[in-house]
Amino acid sequence: MAASAKIGAELDLKPRQSSSFDFGGGEEAVPFLRSASRRRGDTWIVSLFVLLHVFAFVATMAVNNCGENSHGECALGALGRFSFQPLPENPLLGPSASTLDAVGALRRTLLTEHQTWRLFTAPWLHAGIFHLLINLVSVVYLGIHLEQEFGPLRSGMIYTLSALVGSLVSATFVQDSPQVGSSAALFGLLGAMLAVLIRYWRHFNDKCAALLFIFSIFTINFALGLLPYIDNFSSIGGFTSGFLLGFVSLYKPHCRDLPTNKVGLFDYGVQSSIKLKQKLDKPVLRIVALLLFGLVFSGCLVTALWRINLNQYCSWCHFLNCIPSKRWSCNDMTSSCEILQSVEHNAELTLTCMANGKFMVFPFTNISPARVGDLCTLICS
């Protein structure tokens, strides 16, 4: 009995390891972004966003119907209605420009016609299958970690507000070609992750790996935005929004059990002697970030609703959005073509660009005006 009591007393004297960590007053840090195998919790908001993006892309390709509208001149024609436009027309394996216009992409001439509803549809559209896959893989990886660490409410708020701000920024720079802004939400998650990295800088085990990861995802998706139809200005707006909202809302992760081994790319080091009351944890930081976000949002909203074209004040900005190449067109000017139809022997359609004199002959005449516009832009570019 005495031995048992002695053992129990010794056990009671041993310090207990904290099972949770509060960035406001605890003494130990827990991994922030652990590997998926060690994490728990629902990720329904990220799953919902992914399903909506996939549905929007499938619906876009169904509307595109390359097999019929392009008379079989399609990439991967075996897919039938869901086949893609030829690579010279869309290097991302996606729909035509006229289809993007039809389903809600942003375009300067359409916004001037008071079609403001496009500000809410463009963030759900993708320019092609390559854009869709790269974007959603990044969203899934980032979104799962942020949602499991901070919950669906804050993660969903950052996602949707970043998409909206990105769409507003896009409206101030968009030219006369269709642009989609689905990458804005992804860049919002990236900005939020960078805000958390800065906020809890001392607690990360490997800061270089975290920065390299964020920079890599940013670079890959921004480089993809240099291709036609993907709007990099919306990505810039989304990143700025996510960065500010990260300081506003991501100030206290959920409490987690301490792991026996630290794993994952973004693990906080377990330190017992660090000062946890950092300046970045003060409420004034959240207030300043919220005020800055309010200024950014209101400024973008005013310029978008007043249909201000900032390209008039920046002659080189369009190079941030599309790099001209012989393989695709960055043409933002309204193309004009002379149309000649021949129905004597074989029905043929001849389009001649009025700007450069180039022409193409097509073995059909039953073609919609929107499709004529696509082909005319391709010839004039």
Side-chain angles (χ1 to χ4, degrees):
M1 294 291 297
S4 300
K6 183 177 181 181
I7 294 175
E10 290 179 354
L11 290 176
D12 290 335
L13 290 174
K14 290 183 180 180
R16 293 184 179 180
Q17 189 181 45
S18 176
S19 61
S20 63
F21 174 71
D22 187 337
F23 283 103
E27 292 187 353
E28 293 180 335
V30 297
F32 174 50
L33 293 180
R34 287 175 282 176
S35 63
S37 61
R38 300 182 61 87
R39 303 177 62 83
R40 298 178 179 235
D42 295 329
T43 57
W44 65 268
I45 193 69
V46 174
S47 302
L48 176 61
F49 288 145
V50 169
L51 289 176
L52 289 175
H53 279 296
V54 172
F55 174 79
F57 183 74
V58 172
T60 300
M61 296 309 302
V63 172
N64 185 67
N65 194 5
C66 180
E68 180 178 339
N69 294 329
S70 297
H71 296 269
E73 296 182 1
C74 309
L76 299 180
L79 296 177
R81 186 183 187 92
F82 298 96
S83 56
F84 309 108
Q85 296 301 125
L87 289 178
E89 189 175 348
N90 189 333
L92 293 163
L93 286 181
S96 64
S98 59
T99 297
L100 291 176
D101 284 335
V103 296
L106 291 175
R107 185 193 280 262
R108 171 65 55 186
T109 54
L110 297 178
L111 288 177
T112 56
E113 297 175 0
H114 303 283
Q115 298 186 21
T116 54
W117 55 271
R118 294 178 179 274
L119 296 173
F120 302 97
T121 55
W124 298 101
L125 303 177
H126 288 81
I129 189 65
F130 292 145
H131 184 207
L132 176 73
L133 294 178
I134 294 176
N135 190 280
L136 290 190
V137 167
S138 302
V139 166
V140 167
Y141 186 81
L142 296 176
I144 284 178
H145 283 87
L146 287 179
E147 184 176 356
Q148 288 186 332
E149 200 65 46
F150 298 101
L153 179 62
R154 287 182 282 184
S155 301
M157 178 195 67
I158 291 175
Y159 190 94
T160 53
L161 287 179
S162 297
L164 178 58
V165 172
S167 191
L168 293 175
V169 173
S170 175
T172 63
F173 285 97
V174 68
Q175 298 180 333
D176 197 20
S177 60
Q179 299 291 315
V180 299
S182 56
S183 297
L186 165 63
F187 276 80
L189 298 180
L190 274 176
M193 181 173 288
L194 180 61
V196 174
L197 174 63
I198 295 175
R199 186 185 188 90
Y200 301 112
W201 180 259
R202 295 184 181 181
H203 302 286
F204 277 97
N205 286 337
D206 198 337
K207 304 174 182 65
C208 293
L211 286 174
L212 180 61
F213 173 81
I214 294 175
F215 178 77
S216 299
I217 299 297
F218 184 99
T219 302
I220 291 172
N221 285 275
F222 194 85
L224 190 67
L226 297 176
L227 298 176
Y229 309 133
I230 303 176
D231 195 349
N232 267 342
F233 292 110
S234 65
S235 300
I236 294 173
F239 184 84
T240 303
S241 174
F243 183 73
L244 294 175
L245 289 174
F247 283 113
V248 173
S249 60
L250 305 185
Y251 57 90
K252 181 182 176 183
H254 293 319
C255 295
R256 302 285 185 185
D257 293 336
L258 277 172
T260 55
N261 297 312
K262 295 176 292 180
V263 296
L265 181 60
F266 303 104
D267 289 351
Y268 288 109
V270 180
Q271 303 175 17
S272 58
S273 61
I274 58 177
K275 296 180 179 180
L276 298 175
K277 294 182 179 180
Q278 306 177 49
K279 293 181 179 179
L280 291 180
D281 284 332
K282 293 182 178 181
V284 66
L285 177 67
R286 299 196 290 274
I287 295 174
V288 170
L290 182 59
L291 290 176
L292 289 176
F293 173 78
L295 290 175
V296 170
F297 181 82
S298 58
C300 293
L301 182 62
V302 169
T303 55
L305 294 180
W306 285 2
R307 298 185 295 278
I308 297 175
N309 186 4
L310 294 184
N311 292 297
Q312 298 176 353
Y313 310 98
C314 182
S315 59
W316 55 268
C317 285
H318 63 279
F319 290 111
L320 294 176
N321 197 41
C322 186
I323 298 297
S325 171
K326 295 180 179 180
R327 296 181 178 272
W328 59 78
S329 172
C330 292
N331 187 11
D332 66 316
M333 302 299 294
T334 301
S335 302
S336 177
C337 290
E338 181 183 12
I339 303 174
L340 178 62
Q341 295 185 8
S342 174
V343 293
E344 293 181 358
H345 300 288
N346 296 323
E348 291 182 343
L349 175 69
T350 303
L351 296 180
T352 304
C353 179
M354 302 298 291
N356 55 25
K358 293 181 180 179
F359 68 92
M360 291 184 67
V361 179
F362 303 94
F364 47 78
T365 57
N366 55 331
I367 182 172
S368 66
R371 185 60 188 154
V372 170
D374 294 335
L375 296 176
C376 182
T377 301
L378 187 63
I379 296 171
C380 293
S381 61

